[in-house]
Amino acid sequence: MKTVLIKGIRFYQKYLSPLKRVHCPYTPTCSQYGLEAIQKYGAFKGSLLALWRILRCNPFSHGGYDPVP
């Protein structure tokens, strides 16, 4: 499962993300954060961390540096 999620994120980063006009206000980007979280914590906990980060990423967020815990 972990491998499938990582390949999905890498596909998004390579093919879909460059098509977006609005960029993530956080460093690292939300997709990179998700990739690192899944690699570090596994498929379940890493996906939950990535989901929480995506929910926080909105036009009203301040952004900034937010590494994987």
Side-chain angles (χ1 to χ4, degrees):
M1 187 64 179
K2 182 177 173 180
T3 306
V4 172
L5 291 171
I6 289 172
K7 286 184 180 186
I9 292 172
R10 289 205 172 125
F11 176 84
Y12 169 80
Q13 287 177 329
K14 187 172 183 178
Y15 297 108
L16 301 177
S17 183
L19 300 175
K20 290 176 36 180
R21 291 185 183 190
V22 179
H23 296 286
C24 184
Y26 287 103
T27 302
T29 63
C30 293
S31 59
Q32 185 63 35
Y33 182 94
L35 188 66
E36 291 174 13
I38 291 169
Q39 288 173 339
K40 185 173 182 178
Y41 293 109
F44 183 72
K45 186 174 180 182
S47 295
L48 290 178
L49 285 169
L51 179 63
W52 177 244
R53 168 69 174 272
I54 290 168
L55 290 174
R56 290 184 291 145
C57 189
N58 61 63
F60 304 109
S61 68
H62 297 288
Y65 183 64
D66 182 29
V68 175

